[in-house]
Amino acid sequence: MEKFTKHQGIVIPLDRSNVDTDAIIPKQYLKSIKRSGFGPTLFDDWRYLKAGEPGMDHSKREIHTDFVLNQPRYQGGSILLARENFGCGSSREHAVWALEDYGIRAIIAPSFADIFYNNCFKNGILPIVLVEEKVDALFTETNLKEGYRLTIDLEHQFVIEEDELLTEKTPFEVDEFRKYCLLNGLDDIGLTLQYSDDVRAYEEKRKQQTPWLFA
Amino acid sequence: MAGKTLYDKIWDAHVVREEDDGTALLYIDRHLVHEVTSPQAFEGLRMANRGLWRSDSIVAVPDHNVPTTTANRGNGTAGITDPIAKLQIDTLDKNCAEFKINEFHMDDIRQGIVHVIGPEQGATLPGMTVVCGDSHTSTHGAFGALAHGIGTSEVEHVMATQCLIQKKMKNMLISVDGKVGEGVTAKDIVLAIIGEIGTAGGTGFAIEFAGEAIEDLSMEGRMTVCNMAIEAGARAGMIAVDQTTIDYVKGRPYAPVNTDKDNTWDKAVEAWQDLHSDDDAEFDEIVRLYAGSIEPQVTWGTSPEMVLSVNANVPDPASETDAVKSKGISDALAYMGLTAGQAINQIHIDKVFIGSCTNSRIEDMREAAAIVKGKKVADNVKLAMVVPGSGLVKKQAEDEGLDKVFIEAGFEWREPGCSMCLAMNADRLEPQERCASTSNRNFEGRQGQGGRTHLVSPAMAAAAGVAGHFVDIREIK
Ligand code: SF4
């Protein structure tokens, strides 16, 4: 997993609430047995005029020119600005893989769906919850200024807005353990396996108490 | 000290270790696996040279991608026409063989939707922690289990370690008090709950459903309710264990049994008696609904919270003062092709889908068949299909003659799978087609790009198929 320490990038505003995982990556692409290659089909239904199929050359498809990902000013963007309950719906990690493959490193929203939020951390994407007023203000800034960028400092937990005149730092919360894993790019399976003895001891105890769970 | 909730009890029994910040290693008893969210996890294990911690905790089944037409079934995966879908199921078969996992293959009568077959086989037991790379894993909470969906990285983590890294959720109690009226089903109850608390209302919570109307439900009805906990934003929904639970579990293939040597079943039943919230348990939030005021529900929009009684009219964005909500309503109406204020019982449909892990069990089949018996699908309905949740449900229905009832009425009777619930295979809506569906999600494009989904109970879907538009099933005699 790629480390996340400090990141600066262009902000892409996606002004919709309750964006669900079906919208992030439509089901026809879930047939893949791979983890990569989902970027070109991120937000497929909104991005292209007609439904796509896996295996197509997506660069040849006709696009909805007004959808944010298709607007020249947001090209190369890596920070997604979103509305409440982002990532609701299914557990498909393909949604996060699509965002990651597209180049998104952080998502800022007033709230996220639980499973999606969790999946982000497993793939080196930082989901950041900010209060609605702040998110509103960031939407305004992004819409006003072409090439609007933000800096995200995970170590000190700040979203940093910078221009010629001033620097504004907005603090955000992140779980200590998840932060640690992201900062170090750690695979949490390796971490858990350090506790194998605890798991075995637990199993021994439970085999006595609830043998039917081990049949 | 306050007593414990059902969630607290199961959580506490499964914590292997806990850090000071509350991050815990939670032991997982049952891991259900299907073809869509597992290939990358197996690949990850292989790349890291890791094995399974406990292969006997896993039950695997292909469901999302399997064809449901009889012509494409019965010959393993050979009948799958889509090569990419076929590769995914072949990959599951190969992975399960390599890692020695118990899998119900496509031709096995026990094959079906993962959330139908788990309980059907007794692989879901009270007090268990159950996970699956699928958000509707909440279904299994109906057994007094802690069950929730996980992403593929977590699938791999559970495979390798038998544990999940978790922080405890908050406790929410949703009590549905009193009795429901005639014709009001588990589906209507859960849709009404989501209408009440919203699709993010349960985010961060484990929901316990309780109250007389919930206790009155069969296990199948309870599964329908817990299935849609995720649609209310909660990863896990659960219901206390009672005699109904124990009666359902008894005698199923994976359930414990008494033998000459040991009375394991009796011991299990005794342990399960404690699987309810204590009287003095404290919840972070409590929601109460009155069962008597719930009417048959129909969703009108593109989110499960956009739901009303069949006798209501779709909302008018102009009468909503909050600008964001008003836009939400007008966007949904535009997508759904509805006009503000239109009567729901005047909405005409093109297709009917009875199936999915929400409503494809035998009682759902019976409910729907009772409505269509001796009637015909309306002329404006292009396709009406019934997709049983498992091979065993299908067989049971056929033994009861339900297949004939459906076929005579003009329904298609299909092979088990997820089918048009998510339209990964050929079963899907064309743009602008409108469907009365017993599934759980009405998101844009869920049943096919541009398709319009209305979520309803099996009886309501069947009635809409016969009338050609939504009708209040309480008026049908
Ligand atoms: S039936 Fe639908 S909701 Fe249930 S597991 Fe299959 S695709 Fe998911």
Side-chain angles (χ1 to χ4, degrees), chain B residues 83-274:
Chain B
I84 310 176
K86 180 171 184 302
L87 176 64
Q88 200 171 54
I89 296 179
D90 285 337
T91 304
L92 178 70
D93 291 351
K94 205 171 93 268
N95 284 329
C96 288
E98 180 184 331
F99 286 90
K100 306 203 169 34
I101 290 170
N102 192 4
E103 181 195 355
F104 302 135
H105 294 96
M106 258 179 70
D107 290 347
D108 193 314
I109 191 165
R110 297 168 297 176
Q111 180 271 341
I113 304 171
V114 64
H115 309 308
V116 174
I117 68 148
E120 189 173 75
Q121 291 298 318
T124 306
L125 294 174
M128 270 185 164
T129 43
V130 180
V131 296
C132 173
D134 187 284
S135 58
H136 292 99
T137 309
S138 58
T139 311
H140 309 262
F143 289 81
L146 172 57
H148 54 73
I150 54 178
T152 298
S153 295
E154 290 176 311
V155 169
E156 184 179 337
H157 191 276
V158 175
M159 284 175 169
T161 70
Q162 211 58 36
C163 292
L164 259 189
I165 300 171
Q166 281 272 288
K167 268 202 167 168
K168 203 173 169 195
M169 298 180 268
K170 287 179 287 179
N171 278 293
M172 181 187 287
L173 178 72
I174 297 184
S175 183
V176 188
D177 301 328
K179 290 197 180 296
V180 290
E182 177 88 29
V184 175
T185 67
K187 184 66 163 283
D188 303 303
I189 294 176
V190 72
L191 285 171
I193 290 171
I194 297 164
E196 179 78 22
I197 70 170
T199 46
T203 304
F205 289 94
I207 297 180
E208 180 175 344
F209 299 98
E212 190 182 355
I214 300 291
E215 286 159 24
D216 282 350
L217 293 173
S218 66
M219 281 320 291
E220 310 217 332
R222 294 179 190 185
M223 284 188 253
T224 301
V225 171
C226 289
N227 175 274
M228 291 194 72
I230 185 70
E231 258 47 73
R235 287 181 85 171
M238 57 184 76
I239 295 173
V241 172
D242 62 10
Q243 196 56 39
T244 306
T245 325
I246 292 166
D247 291 345
Y248 181 98
V249 170
K250 191 169 188 183
R252 296 193 178 260
Y254 281 74
V257 286
N258 289 334
T259 62
D260 299 344
K261 285 202 252 55
D262 208 351
N263 52 344
T264 315
W265 168 257
D266 296 342
K267 282 185 191 155
V269 171
E270 200 190 317
W272 296 341
Q273 302 301 326
D274 189 43

Side-chain angles (χ1 to χ4, degrees), chain B residues 34 63-64 113-115 134-136 227 355-358 417-419 421-422 439-441 446:
Chain B
H34 65 87
D63 57 0
H64 284 63
I113 304 171
V114 64
H115 309 308
D134 187 284
S135 58
H136 292 99
N227 175 274
S356 89
C357 57
T358 317
C418 292
S419 182
C421 173
L422 92 164
S439 56
N440 44 44
R441 289 197 171 134
R446 171 74 177 183

